[in-house]
Amino acid sequence: MKTPTRNRDKMNSRKSAAAIIAAGGKSERMGGCDKLFADLGGIPIIISAVSAFEKASEISEIIIAAKPESAERIQNLCRIYNISKLKAVVKGGADRQDSVLNALKEVGSNIDIIAVHDGARPLVTSDFVNEITLLAREKGAVIPAVRVKETIKSVKGGRIISTPDRKELYSAQTPQTFLLSNYLEAVKLSENTISSSPTDDASLLENAGFEVFITEGDYKNIKITTPEDLKAARAMIYEKPQTELRIGFGYDVHRLVKGRRLILCGVEIPYEEGLLGHSDADVAVHSLIDALLGAAALGDIGVHFPDSEPQYKDASSIKLLAHTVALITEKGYTPSNIDITIIAEHPKLAPYILKMRTKTAEICGISLDAVSVKATTEEGLGLSGKGIGAKTVCLLKKRIIT
């Protein structure tokens, strides 16, 4: 039987879906904490949210819309946690719709479905992502929603105006999934409409006259907006958990010589001498790498980055650290906290401590307050100004669900 031309074209151009992660919020109700990077079961919230789409077979690419100051950190985290479907991290817009539109510029030509998800909804599952994506291809626009449990009051000026029938009320969630063509048409129609910005993507299509359907959501698929939400999410994932802890220790020392740059924790320190070594000789990072590898029982820095290999000649130790973090992540471990002590008679390191902490935290994918960098001397004994040493203690954790 001959296949109609139109059907053959469809078979030869397999359509797919893109996930758009809205991660440009200001975390104004989190008490100064950026919720996207808050710890949830050993990994950042943004990675928990993105991972569901990474694992979903119906999703072929992921675009994240983020605050400019968070973009590099999110990219580093996606690298550390092996988010292979990440296509781009784009600048978030003034509102949600602008952020989604910025992300849409990056979707591939084979995309016919978009799944728009809140970066602060970390408990969605890959199975649900697959399910709702397939529904969108069938119905055109589908969102998850759960029935409202409490009685809702409409209030104006402190006075109750009405009490809607809660049997007809649902609380919308994400991912909200749409045929891309429908979404783009709704955007065009909205350009000629004077109205406030929609609070979710479904509203955009509703206002444009498209039918939007719901599918049963999950009460656990909460959005992290307040510290109380974060506590609730942690309680949900720690219903029956065990956490394995590993402690690691690392030590390294290098000689100071003329004609070398002095690099510590990835930060260049202005000084007349630098450290001698096969790589950039970042003694602080070398001690950290040994601590991380030791905690995970993966050998030492010489095993993974031998000084006999030309490829590591003058290599950036920060890049070696990023590779090390990826190695321990593959074994299921994540850094919990890091304590580095640098031993140096000269130069004075106090002005650079914050930069060193910040760079280390960024590469390891943990918060700044989980990284300590201290500097001390040996009172003219020990190294006596001939070199710089470093000692590091780290704690790794691995969540085990029983």
Side-chain angles (χ1 to χ4, degrees), residues 77-208:
L77 286 172
C78 287
R79 172 183 49 76
I80 289 170
Y81 288 93
N82 300 313
I83 306 299
S84 63
K85 294 179 182 177
L86 181 68
K87 187 173 184 183
V89 178
V90 302
K91 181 181 178 182
D95 55 34
R96 184 185 185 88
Q97 186 178 329
D98 287 339
S99 294
V100 174
L101 289 176
N102 286 345
L104 285 176
K105 297 173 184 176
E106 299 292 332
V107 301
S109 58
N110 66 320
I111 298 299
D112 68 337
I113 297 289
I114 58 169
V116 186
H117 187 62
D118 297 319
R121 285 189 192 268
L123 301 182
V124 68
T125 68
S126 57
D127 286 343
F128 184 78
V129 171
N130 283 332
E131 177 187 326
I132 197 169
T133 302
L134 291 171
L135 282 173
R137 188 165 276 116
E138 175 188 336
K139 295 181 176 294
V142 184
I143 73 167
V146 292
R147 287 186 181 274
V148 171
K149 296 179 180 180
E150 307 291 342
T151 298
I152 302 298
K153 301 290 184 181
S154 178
V155 178
K156 186 175 182 180
R159 184 173 65 87
I160 295 173
I161 303 299
S162 64
T163 304
D165 184 354
R166 71 181 183 188
K167 293 179 181 179
E168 299 178 353
L169 296 178
Y170 287 79
S171 179
Q173 298 178 331
T174 67
Q176 300 190 350
T177 51
F178 314 98
L179 281 171
L180 177 57
S181 57
N182 288 358
Y183 191 94
L184 294 175
E185 185 176 344
V187 169
K188 288 183 179 180
L189 291 172
S190 70
E191 292 174 354
N192 301 320
T193 304
I194 301 175
S195 63
S196 59
S197 177
T199 56
D200 72 350
D201 301 280
S203 301
L204 179 69
L205 275 80
E206 294 164 36
N207 294 340

Side-chain angles (χ1 to χ4, degrees), residues 9-16 57-58 110-111 137:
D9 291 342
K10 287 183 178 180
M11 291 169 62
N12 293 332
S13 57
R14 169 83 167 97
K15 293 297 185 180
S16 190
S57 59
E58 291 297 318
N110 66 320
I111 298 299
R137 188 165 276 116

